[in-house]
Amino acid sequence: MANAQLDTDAVHDRRAAPPSPDDASRPLVEAVGAEVELVCLDRVERAYVDLDCAASTPSSVAVAAAVDQFLPTYSSVHRGAGFKSRLSTAAYENARHLALEHSGRGGGADTAVICRNTTEALNHLAFRLRLERDDVVLTTVVEHHANLLPWARYARRRYVECRTDGTFSVEDVVAGLDARPAPKVLALTGASNVTGWLPPVDEICDAAHARGVRVVLDAAQLAPHRPVPAGPDFIAWSGHKMYAPFGAGVLVGPFSAFADGEPFLAGGGAVELVDLDEVLWTDPPEREEAGSPNVIGAVALGAAIEELGTIGWDAISRHEAALAARLRRGLDAIDGVRLLGPPPEVETLAVATFTVEGMHHGLVAARLATEFGIGVRHGCFCAHPYLIRLLGIGRDGIATARSQVLRGDRRHIPGAVRASAGLTTTVADVDALLAALRLVISGSPPPVDYVQDEVTGDFFPASDRSGWWSPEGGAGGGCARG
Ligand SMILES: Cc1ncc(COP(=O)(O)O)c(C=O)c1O
């Protein structure tokens, strides 16, 4: 392990990087907690390397400051006559306005419903589109579960398949649009949370609209990294993936889509008048926001949008392109690593999902965390159909995994490792991952054995060093679930 420490420490020191924002040597967004260090298994303290931005980004310092500044005037939204309520209402409505602007929908025909996250937004919309059981929703096998499962509750689904590189073409989507019965809705991701692949959204929207099909864009991964495209009719995304904690997400769509019919949530704030046997719903967006709104979440979301606006898309793209190239080319060049999805030459987000020959994905993730202080994710990333295809698991493999999971044994659940970067990430973080992986793959033995938890499938060092594992700690939620 002596060499391992030396090598990783050399690439770990983000302060040693020369100051130039264009090559991603410094973060573009300052993260709360960037200074957090942890004691690794070798008892060496290292800076935490956060390569799990596709799941949740750290909070930005600017967002935290905006929330701090707002908190003294925090109060109830919309329903209070007091001074603080008025300020809170104004802050909340300002966040809605910023969300509309961020999605390029500031013109007045659209509304932004503030909700918990993308999952809630898509469930909300699937209910609200008032689909009939025989209606067809065209979606793709690339989707996150949040853009697959809600549609199944209300309609039939048809899928655009992907190729072995995890992509599909506009023609593939057109074939799905032209199949009969004609779809009512196309539900599409703006960017894959697994491979970072960016489907050609503009062309796909044109094809759908030419056939009278409305497009729903899951922009959870796209909205923090690229301008939101103009084409989709509905857009959903989450604040916690764009440096804004506190749980606010957005559903953007035309006013007219929410003007009639029952809202998704029934309750206070969504009504004009209620009698015991009658309700007059109010107008959108309040009609869609029953219950006390999450004003702190909205303020955080608004501050994050403003910060991205200040940085600007050019700088964001340059920073993330540098990270994506370093990460994806670097992984692709390591013997024993298989990068899933399109090859590194294809433009993607700074996300890479990979497998390591002969090593369980959970063990790779555990070793990166406990020996090197690097946080990645492993498992199927809430996109099981996509992972199954990328990994090339056939029917037998699926059947075996299914019966094992039904028995409560997740040790052999298929999966991969994902590293994902953002504006808080630097090339030094990416290099730390590459160096650590090279060591792990080279056969460098772990300082202690690892044990696998049968219930979660996760690996833990068989040691109580650094508090990594406590036998009484309970299994918790497994990383591989989702
Ligand atoms: C592409 C995509 N869609 C939807 C979601 C769901 O987002 P949330 O968990 O914020 O609801 C995620 C989260 O990882 C995602 O990556």
Side-chain angles (χ1 to χ4, degrees):
M1 276 308 288
N3 282 344
Q5 278 172 38
L6 270 181
D7 286 355
T8 52
D9 288 348
V11 290
H12 237 86
D13 187 359
R14 47 164 72 215
R15 284 155 301 199
S20 160
D22 288 348
D23 61 3
S25 55
R26 285 192 307 173
L28 275 193
V29 164
E30 203 187 334
V32 175
E35 70 293 345
V36 166
E37 302 208 323
L38 69 150
V39 183
C40 292
L41 275 189
D42 56 9
R43 295 199 168 89
V44 173
E45 250 189 26
R46 294 188 175 89
Y48 180 65
V49 177
D50 189 340
L51 287 173
D52 199 12
C53 291
S56 283
T57 49
S59 171
S60 101
V61 167
V63 166
V67 169
D68 257 7
Q69 202 184 356
F70 169 71
L71 272 175
T73 54
Y74 162 71
S75 183
S76 67
V77 173
H78 291 151
R79 281 160 242 166
F83 179 66
K84 288 191 177 184
S85 282
R86 284 169 196 257
L87 288 179
S88 289
T89 301
Y92 186 76
E93 291 305 323
N94 182 49
R96 194 194 306 285
H97 168 75
L98 289 166
L100 280 167
E101 298 267 297
H102 185 72
S103 57
R105 267 81 176 167
D110 292 275
T111 189
V113 177
I114 298 183
C115 44
R116 275 197 309 146
N117 48 34
T118 310
T119 304
E120 187 172 291
L122 293 169
N123 273 276
H124 190 137
L125 185 62
F127 171 83
R128 218 46 188 88
L129 287 179
R130 288 182 279 168
L131 296 162
E132 311 222 329
R133 212 43 269 171
D134 278 341
D135 287 342
V136 172
V137 173
L138 179 64
T139 185
T140 86
V141 297
V142 172
E143 305 306 311
H144 187 280
H145 296 162
N147 203 22
L148 283 177
L149 301 179
W151 304 111
R153 295 189 154 172
Y154 306 102
R156 291 155 57 193
R157 292 169 298 172
R158 178 183 302 146
Y159 302 101
V160 177
E161 262 299 338
C162 69
R163 310 195 184 99
T164 51
D165 70 353
T167 72
F168 51 78
S169 66
V170 179
E171 291 69 39
D172 296 330
V173 181
V174 167
L177 290 167
D178 285 342
R180 290 293 171 262
K184 283 265 166 51
V185 173
L186 167 64
L188 173 74
T189 191
S192 161
N193 64 310
V194 177
T195 56
W197 178 58
L198 299 148
V201 172
D202 292 336
E203 289 161 85
I204 291 173
C205 284
D206 288 348
H209 289 155
R211 291 160 176 81
V213 177
R214 287 182 291 180
V215 181
V216 176
L217 190 75
D218 170 358
Q221 295 297 336
L222 190 71
H225 305 291
R226 295 283 192 286
V228 176
D233 302 85
F234 298 93
I235 302 144
W237 81 88
S238 303
H240 71 96
K241 294 183 195 292
M242 58 192 303
Y243 318 99
F246 304 109
V250 198
L251 169 61
V252 173
F255 262 104
S256 54
F258 304 104
D260 302 311
E262 297 257 328
F264 181 52
L265 293 174
V271 300
E272 294 286 344
L273 281 174
V274 176
D275 203 346
L276 293 183
D277 52 6
E278 191 190 12
V279 52
L280 289 183
W281 302 109
T282 192
D283 294 328
E286 286 80 10
R287 187 188 186 108
E288 305 302 313
E289 293 181 352
S292 299
N294 174 8
V295 59
I296 301 276
V299 166
L301 176 71
I305 291 171
E306 282 186 314
E307 187 174 19
L308 291 188
T310 305
I311 297 169
W313 289 120
D314 284 353
I316 292 171
S317 308
R318 276 202 303 279
H319 186 87
E320 294 185 346
L323 293 173
R326 187 86 151 212
L327 175 65
R328 296 175 60 83
R329 286 175 202 273
L331 286 170
D332 200 45
I334 301 178
D335 273 349
V337 168
R338 182 181 154 221
L339 185 65
L340 304 182
E345 304 77 54
V346 173
E347 185 200 343
T348 64
L349 302 182
V351 173
T353 290
F354 58 94
T355 54
V356 172
E357 204 178 312
M359 202 178 291
H360 192 286
H361 47 94
L363 181 56
V364 177
R367 290 199 61 183
L368 290 172
T370 58
E371 295 170 40
F372 304 92
I374 300 171
V376 294
R377 175 163 288 224
H378 77 95
C380 291
F381 320 112
C382 304
H384 292 188
Y386 194 32
L387 243 287
I388 281 164
R389 284 160 175 80
L390 291 166
L391 291 169
I393 294 168
R395 280 184 182 281
D396 289 352
I398 297 169
T400 308
R402 187 170 185 278
S403 63
Q404 287 168 346
V405 168
L406 286 174
R407 281 203 314 272
D409 179 354
R410 292 184 182 77
R411 283 173 304 168
H412 309 291
I413 201 162
V417 183
R418 180 183 74 188
S420 55
L423 300 178
T424 50
T425 316
T426 65
V427 282
D429 297 330
V430 172
D431 288 349
L433 169 75
L434 299 174
L437 261 181
R438 279 190 215 102
L439 281 166
V440 167
I441 290 174
S442 72
S444 151
V448 295
D449 289 338
Y450 285 79
V451 287
Q452 190 180 20
D453 185 284
E454 178 173 323
V455 177
T456 64
D458 286 332
F459 284 78
F460 299 92
S463 148
D464 59 2
R465 263 192 242 170
S466 326
W468 279 107
W469 165 251
S470 124
E472 303 85 44
C479 294
R481 289 186 197 174

